[in-house]
Amino acid sequence: MTYCVGLYLNDGLVLLADSRTNAGVDSIATFGKLHVWEQPGERALALCTAGNLALSQSVVTLLREGFTAEDGRGHDLMQAATMFEAAGIVGAAIREVGRRDGEGLKQQGLEPSLSMLLGGQIAGRPHELYMLYYAGNFIRATEDTPFLQIGEIKYGKPILDRVIRPDTPLLQAAKCALVSMDSTLRSNISVGLPLDIAILRRGEQRFALRDRITEQDPYFASIRGLWGEGLRKVFATIPDPDWTL
């Protein structure tokens, strides 16, 4: 399991992913789930992955190397003219991997699962954020739905619902994403550090920030402490019910 979140804001994009994979409590490993394609001044794309690790790694490899789909069409993510076209290329890569490996997984009693977040901006085009499914189809974030999540989404969603709006500044949005991740880390052992984050400012075809956040990161450590203490203080200010027991 994993948790990834993408925020679609007036000022740009924030993408955050954990890095834990596991096949049981005694088989835990770390794999990066946030992948970047960047040609400064021309395009900056980031892809977060959740689901079967072998499938997601195969998709990323196809996107890195370029590929020819079953219909004979060639696909190169760095040649996409729009983010919509880029999402279509990622979808085609997902379908190609599903065609190659999906039936084999089913024969082993495993149900193929894969979802992805694609965010970025290509010069002359708006910044956009997409969520892609195993079928290769996708949806786009909008002002009405300014964040998208994949993986273990339920624990981190409440804070996003309450805070994230299109006009949320990038740094505040990044803080909210980290709080959302901390809520998930506390409630689900299958999501874990380190975290990978990428921030893209609107109109800039390069990432303003790409970083890996570990247990030793002082800012994330402060968030974990302050958020928990703040919740306890707010809870204490709420009057007890006037029920007679």
Side-chain angles (χ1 to χ4, degrees), residues 42-88:
E42 200 276 326
R43 70 187 59 218
L45 310 175
L47 184 73
C48 297
T49 66
N52 184 283
L53 181 62
L55 294 178
S56 65
Q57 287 187 340
S58 294
V59 169
V60 171
T61 298
L62 286 183
L63 294 172
R64 293 281 186 207
E65 297 180 353
F67 66 100
T68 300
E70 189 177 19
D71 60 6
R73 293 182 56 193
H75 296 283
D76 184 346
L77 196 58
M78 295 300 286
Q79 298 300 317
T82 66
M83 285 301 301
F84 181 83
E85 183 180 343

Side-chain angles (χ1 to χ4, degrees), residues 148-200:
L148 298 172
Q149 303 167 279
I150 55 175
E152 187 58 85
I153 68 174
K154 57 183 177 291
Y155 302 108
K157 189 173 185 293
I159 182 64
L160 300 173
D161 284 330
R162 287 174 169 83
V163 173
I164 296 300
R165 303 181 304 180
D167 61 354
T168 304
L170 281 175
L171 288 179
Q172 286 188 20
K175 176 174 62 176
C176 184
L178 291 171
V179 171
S180 175
M181 181 64 74
D182 177 57
S183 299
T184 307
L185 292 171
R186 287 180 177 273
S187 299
N188 193 306
I189 194 173
S190 69
V191 178
L193 292 159
L195 313 175
D196 291 311
I197 188 169
I199 299 178
L200 178 68

Side-chain angles (χ1 to χ4, degrees), residues 88-239:
I89 291 172
V90 176
I94 293 173
R95 287 191 295 272
E96 180 65 15
V97 170
R99 181 185 68 82
R100 298 178 185 180
D101 302 333
E103 190 57 37
L105 286 172
K106 290 180 180 179
Q107 290 175 3
Q108 296 298 317
L110 301 173
E111 188 62 32
S113 65
L114 185 64
S115 56
M116 296 187 167
L117 297 178
L118 173 69
Q121 186 167 23
I122 296 171
R125 307 294 298 186
H127 66 289
E128 294 180 350
L129 175 67
Y130 291 88
M131 180 164 64
L132 297 102
Y133 304 95
Y134 180 68
N137 56 328
F138 49 85
I139 62 172
R140 182 174 63 87
T142 67
E143 290 188 357
D144 294 325
T145 308
F147 65 85
L148 298 172
Q149 303 167 279
I150 55 175
E152 187 58 85
I153 68 174
K154 57 183 177 291
Y155 302 108
K157 189 173 185 293
I159 182 64
L160 300 173
D161 284 330
R162 287 174 169 83
V163 173
I164 296 300
R165 303 181 304 180
D167 61 354
T168 304
L170 281 175
L171 288 179
Q172 286 188 20
K175 176 174 62 176
C176 184
L178 291 171
V179 171
S180 175
M181 181 64 74
D182 177 57
S183 299
T184 307
L185 292 171
R186 287 180 177 273
S187 299
N188 193 306
I189 194 173
S190 69
V191 178
L193 292 159
L195 313 175
D196 291 311
I197 188 169
I199 299 178
L200 178 68
R201 282 196 292 258
R202 182 185 66 183
E204 295 185 6
Q205 289 75 52
R206 64 177 183 83
F207 288 98
L209 176 73
R210 288 172 55 191
D211 198 12
R212 171 156 283 199
I213 298 169
T214 68
E215 291 275 6
Q216 289 73 43
D217 185 275
Y219 181 68
F220 188 61
S222 72
I223 280 182
R224 306 193 80 173
L226 290 171
W227 179 244
E229 182 62 26
L231 284 177
R232 287 188 289 271
K233 288 180 178 179
V234 170
F235 179 78
T237 66
I238 299 174

